[in-house]
Every structure is written in structure tokens, then in C-alpha cells.
Amino acid sequence: MNQKQFYHICAKGTDACNFILCTGDYYAAFNLIGVCAANFRAIVVSFSIEDSHPHILLWGTYDDCLTFMLMFENLYRHHAAATRSGDTELYLHCELYPIGDDEDYLRNVAVYTIIQPTKDGKPVMYYDYLWGTGSMYFRNRFHTPVWLFDEAGVIHQPERFADQDAAAKRTLLHSRMLTIPDDWLVCNGFILPVNYIDVPRFENIYQTHNRFRVWTSSPKKREEEMNLRMAEYRGVSFEDLEARKICGDICKQLYGTRDPRRLSGTQRIAVAQQLRHQFRLTFRQLSTLVRLPETEIRVHVR
């Protein structure tokens, strides 16, 4: 549990709803990744923000990466609640996928987190995309970051966060609870990723410019393999009635009662573990069935 490894944060795009509605949402999602990086121990290696969901590659322990993911979700939900009116419903439920020891799978996932805008049909190359870190890797020291250009193409100089006035700080942070270090650089409304992205760790995944170039081609077969692994880890959702019956059967088999509410916390975890092992139910559905917080289910159930 405490061993550090790579984790991929993303959400199932077909289940997403109203993640990004305007440019302000892009800024909020982008900068909140920086806010989380400043306040939690997980290391951000790469990311891109898409219309329907984010993709983030982290390095750290499971607990640290889970905390990062849950706080990002929570902070973004607060942003949406504060800036949207009417019945515009936000659905944002990310998953945390362990990468494991398969180096080819890691290379596939890492590049997947940055090529999304181009792959999804946006008229932009990933290395010119404002809302991701694809422009940061395998570049020379004379490269000008894309976030320094304004809409007219004029280059602006970064400034220290400490030198911003109170209103500018609030606009950058999108959070009343958390802040970032005074010496972090900001520009054109961005908390610059140079403050926190672990570029060497990303580049070490590929080691050479040419290997990185090859993997950015992302053939369909590799993408299908990655999506299959993600689906296997995510699990499946049963119809509610069927899921409750299955849960009751497991409770009865293990503890002599069909009602999980009569079980202790440890016993509920054991039921959830059995349901996950035997039926591959999603963490969310397990949480509902055994009446424990999803965060606890994710920590104790694999």
C-alpha cells in the first residue's frame, strides 16, 4: 500500500456530464491540479484536460494518489457550484488505475495522458495544447512555454505568486482552503506547470526522443489494450435489485444475516472483498451495498 508507483487518473468519458462548459472551467481544472500538487504528496508527471474529463499521471503511494484525486474532484465540484446556475448538473467521478510493472503499458498510458486533444479530433497538436503538459517533454532549453503567449501572440514574463494582488490570487487558486508557494510562477491566468511537473520522470519512461516519437503514434491496438485493462480494473455495475440480492447472499453465507447493516466495519469490508473478487463490482456499487464510504472501500478492497 505504501510502495510508490505510477497511477493514472481518468473518468469514463461516456459517463461524464458537464465537466467543461466554458474557458473559465478549463482554467479552473488546470490550476486546481497545480493547487493539489502544492498541497498533497503525489507527484504530477503529466496531464491533459478534456471537455468531458481529465487525464493525470501521478507518482506516489496509493493513499497519496487517492487523496490527490479525491481533493481535485472536491475542489472542482466547489468551483462548479460557485460559478454555475440553474440545473446544469456536473457529473465527475474519476478512477485511480495502478500502472504496475509493465513498462510498455506505462509508456502507453503516459503518452495517452497528453495526446488526448489531438486524438479526439481537436485541431491542435498535443505540444500546442494549452490545457495539458504535452509541450513540456523532450524540448530544448530555448523552448518558450505555450502558457506565456496571450491571445495576440505576445509573450509575457512570468510573475511570482506572492506578487499578485488578492483578487488575482483568488482567481488563480479557485479554492478558499488551499494556496501555493509564494515563489511559484504564474502567467496569463495559469499556475505554470513548470512549478510542479516532474519532467525528468516522464522523459525517463521513454529515455530517448525517438522512442517517445514512436509511442506518440498510439496505434489503435495499444489504445484498445489500455482501455481493456482500465475496464477490468474499474469493474462492472449490476442492476440494483440483483446487486442487493448477491450482497445479501454473501452476507448470509459469511455471517448468517442478509442485512449488511448488522455487520461490523471489518465484516462489511470482508463482504465487499468477496463481492469484488467474485463479481468484480465497482467500488461505487460496493460502497452502496455494504454502506461504507467509497474512500474506505478503495483503501481496503482490491
Side-chain angles (χ1 to χ4, degrees), residues 50-114:
E50 300 306 306
D51 301 347
S52 57
H53 59 282
H55 282 276
I56 309 172
L57 182 64
L58 298 180
W59 169 263
T61 67
Y62 179 82
D63 290 347
D64 289 342
C65 292
L66 178 63
T67 299
F68 184 105
M69 182 188 77
L70 295 176
M71 286 305 301
F72 173 80
E73 287 183 338
N74 185 51
L75 291 170
Y76 190 80
R77 290 191 186 106
H78 280 291
H79 156 76
T83 58
R84 299 178 185 181
S85 58
D87 30 351
T88 304
E89 180 183 3
L90 168 68
Y91 180 90
L92 176 62
H93 181 75
C94 294
E95 292 287 351
L96 184 66
Y97 300 101
I99 304 301
D101 298 327
D102 187 332
E103 292 186 358
D104 280 351
Y105 182 60
L106 171 59
R107 295 184 186 109
N108 198 16
V109 173
V111 79
Y112 190 81
T113 63
I114 64 172

Side-chain angles (χ1 to χ4, degrees), residues 192-204:
L192 296 179
V194 69
N195 295 300
Y196 60 89
I197 292 294
D198 192 341
V199 172
R201 192 178 299 275
F202 182 96
E203 293 181 344
N204 190 56

Side-chain angles (χ1 to χ4, degrees), residues 214-242:
V214 170
W215 281 86
T216 57
S217 65
S218 188
K220 186 175 181 180
K221 183 178 180 180
R222 290 209 309 256
E223 183 178 332
E224 289 174 347
E225 177 186 354
M226 191 183 75
N227 287 332
L228 178 61
R229 288 203 191 190
M230 290 166 58
E232 289 175 349
Y233 184 80
R234 183 168 56 242
V236 295
S237 291
F238 283 57
E239 292 291 336
D240 288 345
L241 287 176
E242 184 179 7

